[in-house]
Amino acid sequence: MTAIGKPIMVPDDWDRRGLPGWTYHSRALFELERREVFLNHWQVAGHVSDIPAPGDWLTFDLLGERALIVRGRDGVVRAFHNLCRHRGARVVDGPSGHCKSAMVCPFHGWVYNLDGSLRGAARPESFGGMDRADFGLKPVEMEIWHGFLFLRFLPGPQPPVADLLQPFGADFAAYRAADLLPGDPRGRTTTTLPVNWKSVRDVDNEGYHVAMAHPALQDLYGRSYRDMVYRGGLSHSCGSFGETAGRLWSVRNYLKFTPRPGHLPPRLRQSWTYYGLFPNTVFAFTPEGAQFYHDIPRAKDETRVDGRLYRHPHETRATRAARYLATRIDRATSVEDQQLSIWSNESMKSTAFDDFHLSDLEYGVRAHHDEIRRLLPVTRLDDAPDEDRIDLLNEDLRSAGTNLA
């Protein structure tokens, strides 16, 4: 039992199947997921510390949508569509940057203030009676929670972020998440995999494979690792350490340097904790640092695994060493998971693939699949429908309220 509440208990008799294989390779389904799983659900794009000064900006692209987050001259952080109101060019290009007092579109030179309002168009006399007030950058829905920046491109089923993530609030406060700082100039990680996004989630949503596939994690926290599923598409995983000295070099030295911060409750002082948010985001905290990572789909068979690393202010040399060693362990784990995702994804195309048969230790996979089934009832069908019928069939099943799960 943790401070974040009571998890859902694994039923005594539950359907151990996963999503059918066809759902991992359907272009039509991927388009449904774009609209009803990604663009209308909260996505984390960064932390307020990534843009500390007026004029600092960062971008976030997702499935054809482009967001720009910028700190205004008044210190307020705002989010906009990264589209010039003239011809739709990117107002800024790249993952992050700084502009002194305004943003200038590189296509025709339209100038925008840091609050998104249009300062002026190049050759304004050529536009007739255009009112500048009508051509500011279009806002994107944004909320800030414990310093993290959340975006949503379309209205969706999730409540405000503070309500949605309330079960994790006490832990984020204990970790002092709002005060985090970027880890270092290389604090952003990114890898592109030739897999469907769900294959990445399937691997990450269970710890059953840790003992076999992740020697460093197994060395760090042994059999203490556990996964818990909560309502609302939330999950929580944790593993405690310190009972053994560690056999591997990175683990042994990590245990030597990692702090046991007094401001953390005892259950978090010697723990790596992970907080999952449907559909694709994970926050990970260790005593010396934090990160978030998410799976950004680019196509039905291409996914970018992206993340950002953070540190606490005023860290000591020992804490910095521990953070480096934690990153070594985590990167090795990520490489191992990437291979598992590739193997899992390609198996879906085999004529020999029947279905998943999940362990009680993999109930998180089933819970994630159930969220998808709830949003897209067509995924409850065992056999692949015709591609050109998937959209309409999904609407029919939703309207009928048919329960095929």
Side-chain angles (χ1 to χ4, degrees):
M1 185 73 160
T2 73
I4 66 172
K6 188 175 181 180
I8 298 173
M9 300 301 294
V10 178
D12 291 332
D13 185 18
W14 57 284
D15 188 343
R16 297 177 184 272
R17 296 175 299 167
L19 290 171
W22 70 266
T23 64
Y24 291 73
H25 300 290
S26 165
R27 286 186 176 86
L29 180 67
F30 183 77
E31 177 57 29
L32 282 178
E33 291 174 336
R34 174 185 179 273
R35 299 196 313 263
E36 301 189 35
V37 176
F38 283 95
L39 296 184
N40 67 346
H41 282 68
W42 292 112
Q43 299 287 328
V44 63
H47 190 275
V48 292
S49 63
D50 292 316
I51 46 174
D56 288 346
W57 55 264
L58 56 83
T59 60
F60 179 72
D61 292 6
L62 179 67
L63 294 169
E65 299 292 350
R66 311 188 314 235
L68 157 67
I69 306 170
V70 60
R71 188 179 290 274
R73 297 180 68 178
D74 55 2
V76 175
V77 177
R78 301 176 177 88
F80 305 99
H81 288 274
N82 188 12
L83 288 91
C84 178
R85 294 297 304 281
H86 173 217
R87 294 271 295 276
R90 290 179 182 266
V91 178
V92 298
D93 187 29
S96 61
H98 175 81
C99 49
K100 290 185 178 180
S101 62
M103 299 170 285
V104 182
C105 175
F107 196 175
H108 294 93
W110 281 35
V111 181
Y112 295 90
N113 296 311
L114 299 183
D115 63 1
S117 60
L118 178 64
R119 180 181 298 183
R123 301 289 300 274
E125 74 281 359
S126 68
F127 288 96
M130 184 182 77
D131 186 347
R132 285 183 301 171
D134 295 333
F135 288 89
L137 297 178
K138 291 186 175 182
V140 172
E141 186 179 10
M142 183 190 72
E143 295 186 10
I144 301 174
W145 188 75
H146 287 277
F148 289 103
L149 304 166
F150 291 82
L151 303 179
R152 183 163 60 179
F153 289 101
L154 298 174
Q158 292 174 314
V161 174
D163 295 338
L164 177 64
L165 295 181
Q166 185 276 331
F168 299 159
D171 283 13
F172 274 60
Y175 278 117
R176 300 178 177 176
D179 300 327
L180 290 169
L181 298 174
D184 55 56
R186 297 170 297 171
R188 185 171 185 174
T189 61
T190 185
T191 303
T192 299
L193 300 176
V195 302
N196 182 268
W197 71 278
K198 294 187 290 297
S199 289
V200 182
R201 285 288 89 227
D202 289 347
V203 172
D204 200 53
N205 276 329
E206 53 89 2
Y208 179 41
H209 69 283
V210 168
M212 186 68 186
H214 299 317
L217 289 187
Q218 180 68 9
D219 191 32
L220 178 65
Y221 42 61
R223 297 176 64 87
S224 69
Y225 186 84
R226 56 186 178 140
D227 297 311
M228 290 150 283
V229 175
Y230 296 80
R231 300 193 185 283
L234 304 183
S235 62
H236 174 225
S237 303
C238 61
S240 58
F241 57 82
E243 293 185 0
T244 62
R247 296 178 298 103
L248 301 177
W249 182 88
S250 291
V251 175
R252 185 169 63 252
N253 284 281
Y254 172 77
L255 294 172
K256 183 190 305 182
F257 291 116
T258 185
R260 273 67 167 175
H263 65 268
L264 289 176
R267 65 186 174 81
L268 298 180
R269 289 177 193 165
Q270 295 179 218
S271 175
W272 283 23
T273 58
Y274 307 83
Y275 304 88
L277 169 62
F278 182 86
N280 63 325
T281 300
V282 176
F283 298 90
F285 289 87
T286 62
E288 64 285 329
Q291 65 174 304
F292 73 80
Y293 58 91
H294 46 190
D295 320 314
I296 305 297
R298 298 168 64 91
K300 69 176 180 63
D301 52 5
E302 183 178 322
T303 302
R304 190 179 76 242
V305 182
D306 219 357
R308 290 179 183 265
L309 305 173
Y310 297 92
R311 64 177 177 86
H312 294 289
H314 315 300
E315 65 180 2
T316 65
R317 291 180 64 184
T319 299
R320 188 161 57 251
R323 189 162 54 82
Y324 163 74
L325 292 163
T327 300
R328 279 179 57 104
I329 296 169
D330 189 69
R331 285 179 176 167
T333 302
S334 179
V335 170
E336 292 153 0
D337 276 342
Q338 289 166 25
Q339 184 60 72
L340 296 174
S341 298
I342 292 171
W343 285 340
S344 178
N345 191 80
E346 66 186 11
S347 73
M348 305 294 178
K349 296 180 178 179
S350 172
T351 57
F353 179 79
D354 291 328
D355 207 327
F356 294 178
H357 186 70
L358 298 171
S359 159
D360 288 351
L361 301 176
E362 298 170 294
Y363 190 70
V365 177
R366 174 71 194 196
H368 188 262
H369 289 191
D370 282 345
E371 286 293 315
I372 296 173
R373 291 184 180 99
R374 182 178 61 81
L375 293 167
L376 302 174
V378 72
T379 61
R380 302 170 186 173
L381 300 176
D382 291 333
D383 297 323
D386 292 338
E387 283 285 289
D388 59 1
R389 294 187 61 243
I390 284 179
D391 198 337
L392 290 176
L393 183 56
N394 187 68
E395 287 303 313
D396 289 345
L397 292 172
R398 176 181 288 146
S399 299
T402 305
N403 183 5
L404 299 174

Short mmCIF file of all heavy atoms in Angstrom, two decimals, residues 336-365:
data_model
loop_
_atom_site.label_atom_id
_atom_site.label_comp_id
_atom_site.label_asym_id
_atom_site.label_seq_id
_atom_site.Cartn_x
_atom_site.Cartn_y
_atom_site.Cartn_z
N GLU A 336 17.63 -2.57 -24.03
CA GLU A 336 17.06 -3.92 -23.91
C GLU A 336 15.57 -3.91 -24.24
O GLU A 336 15.07 -4.80 -24.95
CB GLU A 336 17.31 -4.43 -22.48
CG GLU A 336 18.78 -4.69 -22.19
CD GLU A 336 19.16 -4.56 -20.72
OE1 GLU A 336 18.26 -4.27 -19.89
OE2 GLU A 336 20.34 -4.74 -20.40
N ASP A 337 14.85 -2.91 -23.75
CA ASP A 337 13.42 -2.81 -24.03
C ASP A 337 13.15 -2.56 -25.52
O ASP A 337 12.14 -3.03 -26.07
CB ASP A 337 12.78 -1.69 -23.20
CG ASP A 337 12.42 -2.14 -21.81
OD1 ASP A 337 12.33 -3.36 -21.58
OD2 ASP A 337 12.21 -1.27 -20.93
N GLN A 338 14.02 -1.80 -26.15
CA GLN A 338 13.84 -1.52 -27.58
C GLN A 338 13.86 -2.81 -28.39
O GLN A 338 13.04 -3.01 -29.29
CB GLN A 338 14.92 -0.57 -28.06
CG GLN A 338 14.77 0.85 -27.54
CD GLN A 338 16.01 1.69 -27.75
OE1 GLN A 338 16.82 1.43 -28.65
NE2 GLN A 338 16.19 2.71 -26.93
N GLN A 339 14.78 -3.71 -28.07
CA GLN A 339 14.84 -4.98 -28.80
C GLN A 339 13.60 -5.82 -28.53
O GLN A 339 13.04 -6.44 -29.45
CB GLN A 339 16.09 -5.76 -28.41
CG GLN A 339 16.28 -7.05 -29.20
CD GLN A 339 16.40 -6.81 -30.68
OE1 GLN A 339 17.42 -6.30 -31.16
NE2 GLN A 339 15.38 -7.15 -31.45
N LEU A 340 13.15 -5.83 -27.28
CA LEU A 340 11.93 -6.58 -26.96
C LEU A 340 10.73 -6.03 -27.71
O LEU A 340 9.86 -6.78 -28.16
CB LEU A 340 11.68 -6.53 -25.44
CG LEU A 340 12.74 -7.20 -24.55
CD1 LEU A 340 12.42 -6.94 -23.09
CD2 LEU A 340 12.83 -8.69 -24.84
N SER A 341 10.67 -4.70 -27.86
CA SER A 341 9.56 -4.09 -28.60
C SER A 341 9.57 -4.51 -30.06
O SER A 341 8.51 -4.78 -30.65
CB SER A 341 9.65 -2.56 -28.50
OG SER A 341 9.54 -2.12 -27.17
N ILE A 342 10.75 -4.57 -30.65
CA ILE A 342 10.87 -4.98 -32.05
C ILE A 342 10.43 -6.42 -32.22
O ILE A 342 9.64 -6.76 -33.13
CB ILE A 342 12.31 -4.77 -32.54
CG1 ILE A 342 12.62 -3.27 -32.62
CG2 ILE A 342 12.52 -5.43 -33.91
CD1 ILE A 342 14.08 -2.96 -32.89
N TRP A 343 10.89 -7.29 -31.35
CA TRP A 343 10.50 -8.70 -31.45
C TRP A 343 9.00 -8.87 -31.27
O TRP A 343 8.35 -9.63 -31.99
CB TRP A 343 11.23 -9.52 -30.40
CG TRP A 343 12.69 -9.76 -30.72
CD1 TRP A 343 13.29 -9.68 -31.95
CD2 TRP A 343 13.71 -10.12 -29.79
NE1 TRP A 343 14.62 -9.96 -31.83
CE2 TRP A 343 14.91 -10.24 -30.52
CE3 TRP A 343 13.74 -10.34 -28.42
CZ2 TRP A 343 16.12 -10.58 -29.92
CZ3 TRP A 343 14.94 -10.68 -27.81
CH2 TRP A 343 16.12 -10.80 -28.56
N SER A 344 8.45 -8.17 -30.28
CA SER A 344 7.02 -8.29 -30.03
C SER A 344 6.20 -7.78 -31.21
O SER A 344 5.23 -8.42 -31.63
CB SER A 344 6.66 -7.50 -28.77
OG SER A 344 5.28 -7.57 -28.51
N ASN A 345 6.60 -6.65 -31.77
CA ASN A 345 5.85 -6.05 -32.86
C ASN A 345 5.87 -6.93 -34.11
O ASN A 345 4.84 -7.11 -34.77
CB ASN A 345 6.43 -4.68 -33.18
CG ASN A 345 5.54 -3.88 -34.12
OD1 ASN A 345 4.55 -3.29 -33.70
ND2 ASN A 345 5.89 -3.86 -35.39
N GLU A 346 7.03 -7.50 -34.44
CA GLU A 346 7.10 -8.29 -35.67
C GLU A 346 6.36 -9.62 -35.52
O GLU A 346 5.90 -10.19 -36.51
CB GLU A 346 8.57 -8.53 -36.05
CG GLU A 346 9.36 -9.40 -35.09
CD GLU A 346 10.84 -9.47 -35.45
OE1 GLU A 346 11.27 -8.69 -36.32
OE2 GLU A 346 11.56 -10.29 -34.84
N SER A 347 6.19 -10.09 -34.28
CA SER A 347 5.47 -11.36 -34.08
C SER A 347 4.01 -11.24 -34.50
O SER A 347 3.39 -12.24 -34.87
CB SER A 347 5.56 -11.78 -32.62
OG SER A 347 4.74 -10.96 -31.79
N MET A 348 3.46 -10.01 -34.44
CA MET A 348 2.05 -9.83 -34.77
C MET A 348 1.75 -10.15 -36.23
O MET A 348 0.59 -10.37 -36.59
CB MET A 348 1.62 -8.39 -34.48
CG MET A 348 1.89 -7.93 -33.06
SD MET A 348 0.89 -8.81 -31.86
CE MET A 348 1.51 -8.06 -30.35
N LYS A 349 2.77 -10.14 -37.07
CA LYS A 349 2.57 -10.42 -38.49
C LYS A 349 2.64 -11.91 -38.81
O LYS A 349 2.34 -12.32 -39.93
CB LYS A 349 3.61 -9.67 -39.32
CG LYS A 349 3.50 -8.16 -39.24
CD LYS A 349 4.56 -7.48 -40.09
CE LYS A 349 4.44 -5.98 -40.05
NZ LYS A 349 5.49 -5.29 -40.85
N SER A 350 3.07 -12.72 -37.86
CA SER A 350 3.26 -14.14 -38.10
C SER A 350 1.92 -14.88 -38.12
O SER A 350 1.04 -14.60 -37.31
CB SER A 350 4.17 -14.74 -37.02
OG SER A 350 4.22 -16.15 -37.13
N THR A 351 1.81 -15.84 -39.03
CA THR A 351 0.61 -16.68 -39.06
C THR A 351 0.51 -17.57 -37.83
O THR A 351 -0.56 -18.09 -37.51
CB THR A 351 0.62 -17.56 -40.32
OG1 THR A 351 1.82 -18.36 -40.33
CG2 THR A 351 0.56 -16.71 -41.58
N ALA A 352 1.63 -17.74 -37.12
CA ALA A 352 1.63 -18.59 -35.93
C ALA A 352 1.21 -17.84 -34.67
O ALA A 352 0.99 -18.46 -33.63
CB ALA A 352 3.03 -19.18 -35.71
N PHE A 353 1.09 -16.50 -34.76
CA PHE A 353 0.71 -15.73 -33.58
C PHE A 353 -0.78 -15.91 -33.30
O PHE A 353 -1.62 -15.57 -34.13
CB PHE A 353 1.04 -14.25 -33.77
CG PHE A 353 0.66 -13.40 -32.59
CD1 PHE A 353 1.45 -13.36 -31.46
CD2 PHE A 353 -0.52 -12.65 -32.60
CE1 PHE A 353 1.11 -12.58 -30.36
CE2 PHE A 353 -0.88 -11.87 -31.51
CZ PHE A 353 -0.06 -11.84 -30.39
N ASP A 354 -1.10 -16.43 -32.14
CA ASP A 354 -2.50 -16.62 -31.75
C ASP A 354 -3.00 -15.43 -30.93
O ASP A 354 -3.96 -14.76 -31.31
CB ASP A 354 -2.66 -17.90 -30.95
CG ASP A 354 -2.44 -19.14 -31.80
OD1 ASP A 354 -2.77 -19.09 -33.00
OD2 ASP A 354 -1.93 -20.14 -31.27
N ASP A 355 -2.36 -15.18 -29.82
CA ASP A 355 -2.78 -14.08 -28.94
C ASP A 355 -1.80 -14.04 -27.79
O ASP A 355 -0.95 -14.93 -27.62
CB ASP A 355 -4.20 -14.32 -28.41
CG ASP A 355 -4.91 -13.01 -28.07
OD1 ASP A 355 -4.22 -12.06 -27.65
OD2 ASP A 355 -6.14 -12.93 -28.25
N PHE A 356 -1.91 -12.99 -26.98
CA PHE A 356 -1.18 -12.96 -25.73
C PHE A 356 -1.83 -13.95 -24.76
O PHE A 356 -3.02 -14.25 -24.87
CB PHE A 356 -1.25 -11.58 -25.08
CG PHE A 356 -0.55 -10.48 -25.84
CD1 PHE A 356 -0.60 -9.18 -25.36
CD2 PHE A 356 0.13 -10.72 -27.02
CE1 PHE A 356 0.02 -8.15 -26.04
CE2 PHE A 356 0.75 -9.70 -27.71
CZ PHE A 356 0.70 -8.41 -27.21
N HIS A 357 -1.06 -14.43 -23.80
CA HIS A 357 -1.60 -15.15 -22.66
C HIS A 357 -0.88 -14.56 -21.45
O HIS A 357 0.22 -14.98 -21.11
CB HIS A 357 -1.39 -16.66 -22.76
CG HIS A 357 -2.09 -17.41 -21.66
ND1 HIS A 357 -3.45 -17.53 -21.58
CD2 HIS A 357 -1.60 -18.04 -20.56
CE1 HIS A 357 -3.79 -18.22 -20.52
NE2 HIS A 357 -2.68 -18.54 -19.86
N LEU A 358 -1.51 -13.60 -20.81
CA LEU A 358 -0.84 -12.74 -19.85
C LEU A 358 -0.81 -13.33 -18.45
O LEU A 358 -1.75 -13.97 -17.99
CB LEU A 358 -1.55 -11.38 -19.81
CG LEU A 358 -1.55 -10.59 -21.13
CD1 LEU A 358 -2.47 -9.39 -21.03
CD2 LEU A 358 -0.13 -10.17 -21.50
N SER A 359 0.29 -13.05 -17.77
CA SER A 359 0.46 -13.41 -16.36
C SER A 359 -0.25 -12.39 -15.48
O SER A 359 -0.51 -11.25 -15.89
CB SER A 359 1.96 -13.43 -16.04
OG SER A 359 2.21 -13.29 -14.65
N ASP A 360 -0.51 -12.76 -14.24
CA ASP A 360 -1.02 -11.79 -13.27
C ASP A 360 -0.06 -10.61 -13.14
O ASP A 360 -0.48 -9.50 -12.82
CB ASP A 360 -1.21 -12.44 -11.90
CG ASP A 360 -2.41 -13.39 -11.86
OD1 ASP A 360 -3.19 -13.42 -12.83
OD2 ASP A 360 -2.55 -14.10 -10.85
N LEU A 361 1.24 -10.87 -13.36
CA LEU A 361 2.25 -9.81 -13.28
C LEU A 361 2.22 -8.89 -14.50
O LEU A 361 2.96 -7.91 -14.54
CB LEU A 361 3.64 -10.43 -13.14
CG LEU A 361 3.84 -11.33 -11.91
CD1 LEU A 361 5.23 -11.96 -11.95
CD2 LEU A 361 3.64 -10.54 -10.62
N GLU A 362 1.37 -9.21 -15.48
CA GLU A 362 1.24 -8.39 -16.68
C GLU A 362 -0.15 -7.75 -16.78
O GLU A 362 -0.58 -7.37 -17.87
CB GLU A 362 1.51 -9.24 -17.92
CG GLU A 362 2.91 -9.82 -17.97
CD GLU A 362 3.07 -10.85 -19.08
OE1 GLU A 362 2.42 -11.92 -18.98
OE2 GLU A 362 3.82 -10.60 -20.03
N TYR A 363 -0.81 -7.61 -15.65
CA TYR A 363 -2.16 -7.05 -15.69
C TYR A 363 -2.15 -5.61 -16.20
O TYR A 363 -3.15 -5.14 -16.76
CB TYR A 363 -2.79 -7.12 -14.29
CG TYR A 363 -4.25 -6.77 -14.29
CD1 TYR A 363 -5.19 -7.63 -14.86
CD2 TYR A 363 -4.71 -5.59 -13.72
CE1 TYR A 363 -6.54 -7.33 -14.87
CE2 TYR A 363 -6.06 -5.27 -13.73
CZ TYR A 363 -6.97 -6.14 -14.30
OH TYR A 363 -8.31 -5.83 -14.31
N GLY A 364 -1.03 -4.91 -16.05
CA GLY A 364 -0.93 -3.56 -16.58
C GLY A 364 -1.09 -3.50 -18.09
O GLY A 364 -1.60 -2.52 -18.64
N VAL A 365 -0.64 -4.55 -18.78
CA VAL A 365 -0.82 -4.61 -20.24
C VAL A 365 -2.30 -4.70 -20.56
O VAL A 365 -2.82 -4.00 -21.44
CB VAL A 365 -0.05 -5.81 -20.82
CG1 VAL A 365 -0.29 -5.93 -22.32
CG2 VAL A 365 1.45 -5.68 -20.53
#
